């Protein structure tokens, strides 16, 4: 599959804080996404979860379904129970022709708690990685048998946040488990996304592209802000995340580290649309990604 540029609706609304962008109709999100140059969308809280209804919502805008976040709880339940819990989500993805299953451990995550500073995020002990990885691999084996590849989403405020966490997770999981490389979460978490791309190229099957504002990151780190306060911004300030080309991530370097990559690259911003209007930022992100992909020889 050639590289295609998709959007995460977090640029128009926010699943962690529903009132952010909550008054923007789904039709507006999709129309603006098409105008910005996207050809696919990931699921968000405004999308129907029945295949025929979802196809009917996307079709007028020529949009494919790219995938959708799934919150797992493998630290607290068995792989068998997780596979049962994810059944409806997996069936929806299969019905829509999606071949990646975006998953993240959230049983003890804090990113959705606006009152919880990021310093309080959970950590796994060295001895806990093996069992977590075994359960994740069992889940990934099961989805792959149905034609859908698990791509793990490392994320601020979770047990897989830092570069060391990512390395431990990848070492603990089998080849059926791939990585969703998120440039924004990697950068904010202290990793170089291009280095991660180089290290795990053979196991990267999905890419999320959001940029980082270094000045806001520095304030968040120094003030020990929560994840939600950081991405929404304090007062009139913009948040820590923005679209590609508006921050410090070197996307040409990232894509050069992914030779032969085919699949989706997904633009995100996680901004408050009242502070940062979605459409102009989306257009800027698409334009920058196209330039970076071309410079890296992938377009």
């Amino acid at each position: 599959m050639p590289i295609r540029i998709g959007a995460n609706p977090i640029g128009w609304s926010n699943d962690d804080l529903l009132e952010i962008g909550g008054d923007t109709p789904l039709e507006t999100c999709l129309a603006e996404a098409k105008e910005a140059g996207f050809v696919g969308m990931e699921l968000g809280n405004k999308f129907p979860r029945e295949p025929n209804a979802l196809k009917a919502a996307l079709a007028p805008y020529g949009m494919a379904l790219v995938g959708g976040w799934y919150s797992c709880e493998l630290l607290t339940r068995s792989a068998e129970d997780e596979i049962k819990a994810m059944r409806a989500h997996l069936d929806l993805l299969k019905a829509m022709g999606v071949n990646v299953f975006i998953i993240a451990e959230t049983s003890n995550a804090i990113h959705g708690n606006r009152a919880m500073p990021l310093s309080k995020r959970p950590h796994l002990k060295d001895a806990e990685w093996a069992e977590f990885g075994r359960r994740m691999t069992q889940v990934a084996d099961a989805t792959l048998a149905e034609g859908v590849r698990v791509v793990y989403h490392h994320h601020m405020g979770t047990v897989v946040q830092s570069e060391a966490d990512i390395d431990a997770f990848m070492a603990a999981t089998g080849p059926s488990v791939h990585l969703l490389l998120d440039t924004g979460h990697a950068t904010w978490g202290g990793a170089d996304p291009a280095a991660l791309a180089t290290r795990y190229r053979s196991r990267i099957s999905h890419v999320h592209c959001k940029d980082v504002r270094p000045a806001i990151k520095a304030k968040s780190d120094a003030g020990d802000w929560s994840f939600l306060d950081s991405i929404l911004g304090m007062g009139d300030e913009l948040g820590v995340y923005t679209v590609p080309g508006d921050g410090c991530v070197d996307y040409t370097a990232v894509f050069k580290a992914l030779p032969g990559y085919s699949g989706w690259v997904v633009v995100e911003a996680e901004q408050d649309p009242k502070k940062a209007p979605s459409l102009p930022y989306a257009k800027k992100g698409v334009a920058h990604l196209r330039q970076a992909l071309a410079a890296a020889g992938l377009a």
Side-chain angles (χ1 to χ4, degrees):
M1 183 174 74
I3 291 178
R4 292 186 285 176
I5 299 177
N8 187 297
I10 253 172
W12 285 270
S13 61
N14 192 296
D15 285 357
D16 292 320
L17 206 60
L18 298 183
E19 62 265 33
I20 302 300
D23 56 349
T24 306
L26 175 60
E27 293 77 14
T28 300
C29 300
L30 293 171
E32 291 190 352
K34 180 178 180 180
E35 183 179 343
F38 297 115
V39 294
M41 291 284 284
E42 288 187 350
L43 288 170
N45 64 80
K46 296 173 182 176
F47 288 77
R49 298 299 173 113
E50 190 280 322
N52 289 333
L54 183 53
K55 290 175 183 177
L58 294 172
Y61 307 94
M63 291 284 169
L65 184 68
V66 177
W69 171 285
Y70 174 81
S71 296
C72 70
E73 299 183 6
L74 284 170
L75 295 177
T76 59
R77 62 186 173 198
S78 68
E80 292 83 1
D81 286 342
E82 195 67 69
I83 291 166
K84 292 177 183 176
M86 66 172 54
R87 185 75 258 169
H89 188 73
L90 179 59
D91 285 346
L92 176 61
L93 297 180
K94 289 169 61 179
M96 298 299 294
V98 177
N99 63 2
V100 293
F101 191 100
I102 300 168
I103 193 169
E105 176 63 37
T106 61
S107 61
N108 57 1
I110 64 161
H111 63 279
N113 185 346
R114 196 167 186 176
M116 186 73 70
L118 278 169
S119 64
K120 301 298 184 182
R121 67 102 172 179
H123 297 264
L124 289 187
K125 298 177 182 177
D126 290 345
E128 294 175 317
W129 284 106
E131 179 60 18
F132 179 46
R134 186 194 68 78
R135 294 181 188 183
M136 186 64 67
T137 302
Q138 187 176 340
V139 167
D141 288 345
T143 67
L144 192 57
E146 298 188 40
V148 183
R149 167 81 70 181
V150 158
V151 288
Y152 190 87
H153 194 326
H154 56 100
H155 198 287
M156 298 295 292
T158 74
V159 293
V160 187
Q161 170 179 298
S162 69
E163 184 171 13
D165 297 334
I166 295 169
D167 289 342
F169 175 82
M170 297 300 281
T173 52
S176 60
V177 179
H178 278 204
L179 182 69
L180 185 161
L181 177 63
D182 188 297
T183 59
H185 284 284
T187 300
W188 190 5
D192 176 357
L196 289 175
T198 299
R199 191 177 313 149
Y200 297 115
R201 168 63 199 95
S202 65
R203 292 176 68 188
I204 292 174
S205 293
H206 204 59
V207 181
H208 276 184
C209 300
K210 51 182 173 281
D211 220 328
V212 173
R213 295 185 173 100
I216 305 301
K217 175 185 178 301
K219 288 184 178 182
S220 171
D221 293 345
D224 195 17
W225 297 354
S226 68
F227 176 75
L228 287 173
D229 279 343
S230 301
I231 66 169
L232 297 176
M234 296 290 205
D236 294 331
E237 284 191 323
L238 295 170
V240 67
Y241 283 145
T242 183
V243 295
D246 194 41
C248 63
V249 175
D250 184 344
Y251 281 94
T252 299
V254 171
F255 293 137
K256 282 184 175 179
L258 294 172
Y261 177 79
S262 64
W264 289 97
V265 293
V266 178
V267 174
E268 291 185 291
E270 301 199 37
Q271 302 189 100
D272 182 346
K274 291 182 179 178
K275 293 183 181 180
S278 302
L279 183 56
Y281 273 94
K283 288 180 175 180
K284 181 173 185 174
V286 169
H288 188 78
L289 281 195
R290 284 175 174 163
Q291 291 173 358
L293 287 165
L298 292 180

